[in-house]
Amino acid sequence: MGLLSLLGGCSGELSALDPAGPSAASIADLWWVMLWGSCALFTLVLGLFLAVWFVPDFGRRLRPDRWILWGGLALPLPVLIALTLYAFNQGEFLLKGAAKDAENVLEVRATGRMWQWEFSYPTLPGSAAEPGVLHIPAGRTIEIVAESEDVIHSFWVPRLGGKIDAVPGHANRLRIRADKPGRYGGICSEYCGTGHAGMRFEVRAHDGNGFVRAVSAETSQ
């Protein structure tokens, strides 16, 4: 029952372990790899401890300096090196937009203020900003340009990508993508005042021409 409860926490609109795009999938994969890597290290150390505890002769076969060399360096080092290289590889993948062909990128400006997000589309003439709702085309890489008008906020759509801080006077960039049409929850992940808990927004990924119609509909309001 405990395991089922833990697994139940791996889903939901704000779960980073229930990815709906390549960036979020890369982050989730990294999380799982780090988890199993740490489990492997823990198992190795625990195995040595139990061997020394229950088989006294096992511990006496090696000098203290050999325990430090083999148990403290040789044993965990290969696992740590493998995890580090994998993390660097995933980081490069995310920096490139989590796609090999991320040329067709749509720029969206996300402006944070106490306590809401406003989104605009500078490359789409005539489109209007809309608070609390981000429209994107499914299957296309989106570059979020995060800015703030007051304090530091943090843009985060857990199922689509990582976090990026919105800093006053500075623009930070993050690339996300939704593989399928749908609605995805977003939050501010940086405490920004008494209204922080309610600073949520929704990402609506549209199929086909639905994105253009959605932006045009907002423009006509």
Side-chain angles (χ1 to χ4, degrees):
M1 292 295 293
L3 179 60
L4 291 176
S5 299
L6 290 173
L7 292 176
C10 296
S11 61
E13 69 169 8
L14 297 179
S15 174
L17 299 181
D18 185 20
S23 294
S26 176
I27 294 170
D29 289 344
L30 179 60
W31 189 91
W32 285 111
V33 168
M34 288 294 181
L35 174 64
W36 292 117
S38 63
C39 288
L41 284 176
F42 176 77
T43 302
L44 290 171
V45 174
L46 182 62
L48 286 176
F49 172 77
L50 293 176
V52 172
W53 184 269
F54 291 105
V55 187
D57 290 340
F58 177 84
R60 298 191 185 102
R61 295 172 187 172
L62 292 176
R63 300 195 310 269
D65 59 332
R66 292 297 180 89
W67 273 109
I68 295 174
L69 177 62
W70 294 103
L73 294 176
L75 188 63
L77 204 57
V79 178
L80 292 175
I81 291 176
L83 291 176
T84 302
L85 292 177
Y86 182 79
F88 283 156
N89 181 66
Q90 293 298 90
E92 289 296 323
F93 179 68
L94 289 171
L95 288 175
K96 295 177 180 178
K100 295 180 180 179
D101 53 345
E103 299 299 329
N104 186 24
V105 177
L106 174 65
E107 182 180 299
V108 176
R109 291 193 173 272
T111 304
R113 66 174 65 91
M114 297 180 177
W115 285 278
Q116 70 175 8
W117 289 96
E118 187 174 85
F119 303 100
S120 60
Y121 312 87
T123 60
L124 300 178
S127 60
E130 179 186 6
V133 180
L134 168 59
H135 297 282
I136 64 172
R140 185 177 177 183
T141 300
I142 310 299
E143 183 164 84
I144 302 296
V145 182
E147 301 172 313
S148 173
E149 293 185 352
D150 37 49
V151 299
I152 297 177
H153 302 285
S154 187
F155 176 93
W156 189 29
V157 188
R159 297 191 63 206
L160 298 183
K163 307 175 185 179
I164 193 70
D165 282 347
V167 181
H170 180 74
N172 287 326
R173 296 175 180 267
L174 172 75
R175 290 187 175 183
I176 63 174
R177 194 178 80 194
D179 290 332
K180 299 178 181 179
R183 299 191 177 195
Y184 307 95
I187 58 174
C188 172
S189 59
E190 178 79 24
Y191 181 73
C192 54
T194 56
H196 166 73
M199 193 172 172
R200 296 193 172 210
F201 60 95
E202 183 180 70
V203 179
R204 298 177 186 174
H206 302 274
D207 194 7
N209 295 322
F211 168 69
V212 176
R213 290 197 299 268
V215 176
S216 299
E218 296 302 331
T219 304
S220 64
Q221 292 180 357

